[in-house]
Amino acid sequence: MARSLGQAGTSLSTFITRGRAWQAVLASLLLAGCGGCGAQEAPRPEPLPTRPDGSGPADAATKRAAGAGDRPGQGAVQAPGGLPPCKDGDTDPHDLRCTGLYSDPGARTIAPGVREFKPAFELWSDGAEKTRWIYLPLGATIDVSRMNDWTFPVGTRLWKEFRLPVSGASRRIETRFLWKTAEDRWTRATYAWSEDGASATQVKAGVPHVPGAPDYAIPAQVDCIRCHAGKTDNPLGFEAIQLAARGASGLTYAELVERGLLSTTSGGPLPDAAALEVPGTATERRALGLLHVNCGVSCHHPLGVATHFEMRLNIDAAGRVGDVRGTRVYQTAINQPAKVRPPGAPPGARYDRLRPLDPDHSAVLRAMSRRDAPGAPPEQMPPLATRRVDEEAVAAVRAWIEAMTPAAGYPRPSP
């Protein structure tokens, strides 16, 4: 197995619990527009190639033979069309073509060593289709000593492309970029695509109304911390449960293990993918997975913003997710009184977070089923970067609530 990188330095989510230190970090992010995510530039790590077939780390001979075009972010990614050229050492690229995603930007050819992945459950983004990629530096591994919160090696890069149907055709709208430039620093950048699809340049303030897709908004980069700070080391969708669950594809958990790209400080064995599967029936798995990715990963967990109840699926010390009744969703939400009454609730009516057999009095479902009017108090879930209700997720959680019968092992609704 490749060498362990050890535990990464202090992460943004750690600062959340440290009062004044957190305030200082947030202030610096606001000043930077969340684009550089740090006041000082770190030296740009040189990306290294993989085997020619893109299947894994290159050996020494392959590395020596590789040309500049084989290195993401180098050579072939110079921005054409009169735009400023890419700069060596630039840790906050203005143009997507300077991030290393493409070896040939004009042809949209993905660079060697950049691997596509698709998690089994996806964050709702107002109906946008998404494609994701990750680049890991040559010889580096992801430290999974804490299986619920992976620590990535310096030089890791991730991209997420969003597409929407516009005038009857699928059009690239935005691409989001994460780049770990130092042990405790991530670049987070958002690139808006031109209407003709020829270029994508960074937009720090977001785009409230995308031309051709007025109901879709690109969020401001300063908002990224509200979700990504909920993870110890920033990435949200590249994690054990989402990559091990059935339905994941591309670079999955099983392939990461097979290729020796995961390691622990103890050097102990890694959990089998089957032990990390979302538990329960098909109805339970669907609802638990959607709540995990849309609510639990970034907010509703012990180190998140919303700690009063939890919706993240957790892996225990033995490397197992366990059964449905062992999940924190079951333990902290079912038959637990909602602290905030839903809008328009009649006086005296009881609402639980999740109330068995009673979706109309389940506050989580009601919050998922609404979107806040402009300027109104935030009551919708997820709370940002969405203007449309995820009808499929609402239907999935409703089906789960309606299946919470005593015969299936659930308690009766609270009096």
Side-chain angles (χ1 to χ4, degrees):
M1 180 176 292
R3 63 181 177 85
S4 170
L5 293 178
Q7 182 62 43
T10 304
S11 65
L12 287 175
S13 63
T14 304
F15 282 119
I16 295 176
T17 60
R18 295 186 179 179
R20 294 179 180 176
W22 162 242
Q23 295 174 5
V25 170
L26 181 58
S28 68
L29 290 173
L30 290 170
L31 288 173
C34 203
C37 297
Q40 298 179 349
E41 283 194 349
R44 184 178 187 176
E46 180 182 4
L48 296 173
T50 60
R51 297 190 183 104
D53 64 359
S55 62
D59 55 25
T62 304
K63 175 181 173 182
R64 286 194 297 270
D70 292 322
R71 299 176 179 179
Q74 303 290 326
V77 297
Q78 298 301 309
L83 292 171
C86 304
K87 299 177 182 178
D88 288 338
D90 185 2
T91 57
D92 188 17
H94 174 72
D95 194 281
L96 177 64
R97 286 167 284 198
C98 299
T99 65
L101 176 58
Y102 303 116
S103 60
D104 182 346
R108 305 284 183 265
T109 303
I110 301 301
V114 177
R115 292 293 306 275
E116 185 177 338
F117 69 96
K118 184 180 187 300
F121 304 97
E122 298 187 82
L123 180 70
W124 171 247
S125 300
D126 285 353
E129 295 181 346
K130 289 174 274 190
T131 303
R132 302 167 177 81
W133 300 272
I134 186 169
Y135 171 79
L136 296 172
L138 178 67
T141 61
I142 302 170
D143 182 2
V144 297
S145 301
R146 292 185 295 175
M147 190 56 71
N148 293 301
D149 287 291
W150 291 1
T151 300
F152 294 81
V154 173
T156 297
R157 307 183 198 189
L158 300 100
W159 299 262
K160 182 163 61 173
E161 178 185 279
F162 297 71
R163 299 179 303 279
L164 286 171
V166 177
S167 300
S170 179
R171 196 186 96 190
R172 292 179 178 88
I173 301 297
E174 60 169 310
T175 299
R176 298 179 192 174
F177 177 50
L178 282 174
W179 180 12
K180 190 169 185 176
T181 56
E183 290 290 347
D184 60 351
R185 185 182 299 122
W186 285 83
T187 286
R188 290 188 289 266
T190 302
Y191 298 87
W193 284 87
S194 60
E195 292 187 59
D196 61 4
S199 63
T201 53
Q202 189 175 164
V203 286
K204 294 183 181 292
V207 181
H209 302 285
V210 174
D215 292 334
Y216 184 89
I218 299 176
Q221 289 182 17
V222 71
D223 289 334
C224 60
I225 194 173
R226 296 177 60 183
C227 287
H228 286 275
K231 267 291 191 184
T232 298
D233 203 20
N234 270 254
L236 299 174
F238 200 84
E239 51 124 53
I241 288 176
Q242 295 183 62
L243 296 178
R246 64 191 75 178
S249 62
L251 188 58
T252 62
Y253 175 82
E255 186 175 348
L256 287 165
V257 173
E258 180 183 354
R259 296 188 179 283
L261 296 174
L262 306 180
S263 63
T264 64
T265 53
S266 67
L270 298 170
D272 185 77
L276 305 178
E277 181 61 84
V278 178
T281 65
T283 297
E284 290 168 327
R285 288 197 304 271
R286 178 68 173 157
L288 287 170
L290 288 169
L291 291 174
H292 172 77
V293 68
N294 283 284
C295 313
V297 170
S298 58
C299 290
H300 285 272
H301 65 86
L303 294 178
V305 176
T307 59
H308 50 295
F309 71 101
E310 301 172 34
M311 287 189 275
R312 187 177 75 172
L313 295 170
N314 291 316
I315 302 165
D316 64 21
R320 298 187 301 265
V321 175
D323 61 13
V324 174
R325 278 153 291 283
T327 64
R328 294 297 291 161
V329 184
Y330 187 102
Q331 296 169 358
T332 66
I334 292 179
N335 275 340
Q336 298 299 313
K339 291 186 177 181
V340 179
R341 293 178 61 78
R350 177 183 174 111
Y351 287 84
D352 292 329
R353 293 163 181 163
L354 290 173
R355 185 172 174 81
L357 304 176
D358 191 356
D360 292 337
H361 290 85
S362 295
V364 169
L365 187 64
R366 290 181 66 105
M368 293 173 60
S369 304
R370 63 173 284 119
R371 287 297 177 267
D372 299 328
E379 293 170 333
Q380 70 176 45
M381 290 293 153
L384 73 160
T386 169
R387 293 175 174 176
R388 293 169 47 196
V389 171
D390 183 356
E391 300 292 353
E392 291 187 6
V394 169
V397 174
R398 175 177 286 273
W400 181 36
I401 295 170
E402 292 173 343
M404 293 180 181
T405 64
Y410 288 90
R412 297 184 182 278
S414 297

